[in-house]
Amino acid sequence: MNPIRSLLNLFRSKPKVPTIPVPSQALPGIKPYLDFRATIRKLQAEIPKRYITSELLTEANRIFGLIRQGTAVYEGENEVDFIVDTTIYETFSGRRVIDLAWEEREKYFDPDDHSALDSMRRARSSALCVTGVSSKESVIELYDLLVDCDLELVDIGLCESIKIRGARNTTMFTRLLPFGERYTTSGAVFIFEHPWNDLEGPYRELLAKIPEADESLRSRVAFFNLNRRMGMQMKMM
């Protein structure tokens, strides 16, 4: 059986993690985002089936400290999503799966999907502070805490969730995919109802304990563990 399918089967009979609400009707002008997001979902389902091996998953689970008596132990389907996301985009043994998919795009992927693949290979993870929400365009205004810049994120479901809960003191960690002059997410998002001032100390402590050399991967491991301590358990896609 495909290793990704085996992971997801662990949770099929278990209660679902609450899903962020999405409006029944898309907002005007949002169709390019919906089309782009649909393509990203399709690719993120296809790529693991073709490229992610049991060995790669085992290595990811080891780095995240999930192996217990020879078996990976997860606390929810959102953690499975996060690990699969990591195996697609992060560097393992000197290579990234997304780079391999890009190199073989002409062989395996529809030409209409190439621009989305290009966005995926240029994606990066970061911690973000919510500074505002524009309901009209489903745009979230953010301050990138790790890169020190302002940016805008287009995400209907996430925008609705933040409007319901309020933007104040909301910090999140996700992977940013370029989308025109803005960004969207890869789908795996950790949300913290804490200001960055409360999170930075624990984050730095966790980061210091992680020996992996790749900084992006170390940051993801630290936020994964921080989410278990202080995050909201939520499935995004």
Side-chain angles (χ1 to χ4, degrees), residues 53-138:
T53 63
S54 296
E55 291 76 14
L56 176 54
L57 274 176
T58 298
E59 176 66 5
N61 288 327
R62 181 193 66 78
I63 291 171
F64 278 81
L66 296 172
I67 304 296
R68 300 288 185 273
Q69 297 182 342
T71 302
V73 179
Y74 307 94
E75 292 186 357
E77 191 173 342
N78 67 318
E79 291 193 351
V80 176
D81 293 339
F82 193 82
I83 296 299
V84 173
D85 181 283
T86 299
T87 59
I88 292 173
Y89 291 94
E90 298 298 326
T91 301
F92 291 90
S93 302
R95 292 285 324 254
R96 297 194 310 160
V97 163
I98 187 58
D99 289 334
L100 182 57
W102 173 253
E103 290 168 9
E104 298 185 339
R105 63 190 181 279
E106 301 292 346
K107 184 177 181 181
Y108 294 119
F109 299 100
D110 192 301
D112 291 341
D113 297 342
H114 290 180
S115 62
L117 273 172
D118 181 52
S119 177
M120 291 171 70
R121 74 187 181 103
R122 293 185 291 117
R124 62 180 175 83
S125 295
S126 199
L128 306 153
C129 175
V130 178
T131 58
V133 178
S134 171
S135 302
K136 183 178 180 180
E137 297 180 288
S138 290

Side-chain angles (χ1 to χ4, degrees), residues 121-182:
R121 74 187 181 103
R122 293 185 291 117
R124 62 180 175 83
S125 295
S126 199
L128 306 153
C129 175
V130 178
T131 58
V133 178
S134 171
S135 302
K136 183 178 180 180
E137 297 180 288
S138 290
V139 170
I140 306 167
E141 297 168 357
L142 300 162
Y143 179 73
D144 192 321
L145 294 157
L146 302 187
V147 178
D148 190 25
C149 69
D150 295 310
L151 58 88
E152 292 183 339
L153 181 78
V154 184
D155 191 301
I156 293 175
L158 194 54
C159 185
E160 288 297 303
S161 177
I162 290 173
K163 282 194 296 181
I164 291 169
R165 292 176 172 82
R168 187 178 179 184
N169 291 337
T170 299
T171 305
M172 60 186 185
F173 181 81
T174 189
R175 191 179 303 282
L176 299 168
L177 278 66
F179 176 63
E181 295 182 354
R182 292 168 170 162

Side-chain angles (χ1 to χ4, degrees), residues 17-25 33 41 138 140 155-165 191 232 234-237:
V17 180
T19 303
I20 287 176
V22 176
S24 58
Q25 292 185 338
Y33 157 79
R41 288 194 184 100
S138 290
I140 306 167
D155 191 301
I156 293 175
L158 194 54
C159 185
E160 288 297 303
S161 177
I162 290 173
K163 282 194 296 181
I164 291 169
R165 292 176 172 82
I191 296 179
M232 295 169 54
M234 186 176 299
K235 178 168 172 53
M236 296 301 302
M237 291 180 63

